[in-house]
Amino acid sequence: GLIPITSGRISYAGKDMRSMPSREVRRKLQIVFQDPFASLDPRLPIGDAIAEPLENFGISKQDQNKRVVELLELVGLNSEQASKYPGQLSGGQQQRVAIARALCMQPQLMLFDEPTSALDPEMIKEVLDTMVELADDGMTMICVTHEMGFARRVANRVIFMDEGQIVEQNEPEAFFNNPQSERTKLFLSQILGH
């Protein structure tokens, strides 16, 4: 609902999302943006930022605090971090807090828009490790990424797009080992060097 749908159709679990109440959509679907500050208010301690969606759904303060601690631990941060502000954290830590905030509503689907693109190379691994753990725990995720090693490791389906069009889609092994389109072959040769 951030941008109105002008054409086409977006459906989830067989329902047209335009007909679903926004509150229902927010409970089932969460997004993690490239820039963690798109999800985090720099004026709020991260514990409050994580708990904010819970507060909007009438969850008690005690249960909010418990959930914040659980989520911080889930993304590899400790509960002492809850009182820090986003600007006091590294880029990788900020992105993991954005993931924790998205997870607070226990969504069925997580969308990731290049979650590592704004990070230093050293910070990328900690965010990808968090996402691998989510995948291993069964979280359904749609990830826009250029991290091909990550895609190969956790994806059950890879879709390669160019100029807004789907060029190729396949299971990871077939996609990486036997690409069908010339455009995919060129991309993989430039990215992976083969």
Side-chain angles (χ1 to χ4, degrees), residues 112-129:
F112 290 89
D113 179 16
E114 288 284 1
T116 60
S117 68
L119 301 178
D120 293 332
E122 294 144 358
M123 304 297 165
I124 291 172
K125 183 181 180 330
E126 59 190 42
V127 173
L128 292 179
D129 287 348

Side-chain angles (χ1 to χ4, degrees), residues 32-36 95 99 112-119 127-128 131 143-145 150:
V32 176
F33 298 97
Q34 290 180 16
D35 181 358
Q95 195 61 291
I99 293 170
F112 290 89
D113 179 16
E114 288 284 1
T116 60
S117 68
L119 301 178
V127 173
L128 292 179
M131 293 173 67
C143 306
V144 175
T145 186
F150 167 75

Side-chain angles (χ1 to χ4, degrees), residues 36 77 85-96 119 123 126:
L77 298 170
Y85 290 84
Q88 296 174 294
L89 303 175
S90 71
Q93 289 171 324
Q94 290 172 11
Q95 195 61 291
R96 287 185 287 156
L119 301 178
M123 304 297 165
E126 59 190 42

Side-chain angles (χ1 to χ4, degrees), residues 26-43:
R26 278 190 228 115
R27 282 200 86 122
K28 293 181 177 185
L29 182 143
Q30 290 290 311
I31 186 166
V32 176
F33 298 97
Q34 290 180 16
D35 181 358
F37 278 106
S39 301
L40 302 176
D41 184 336
R43 301 164 298 176

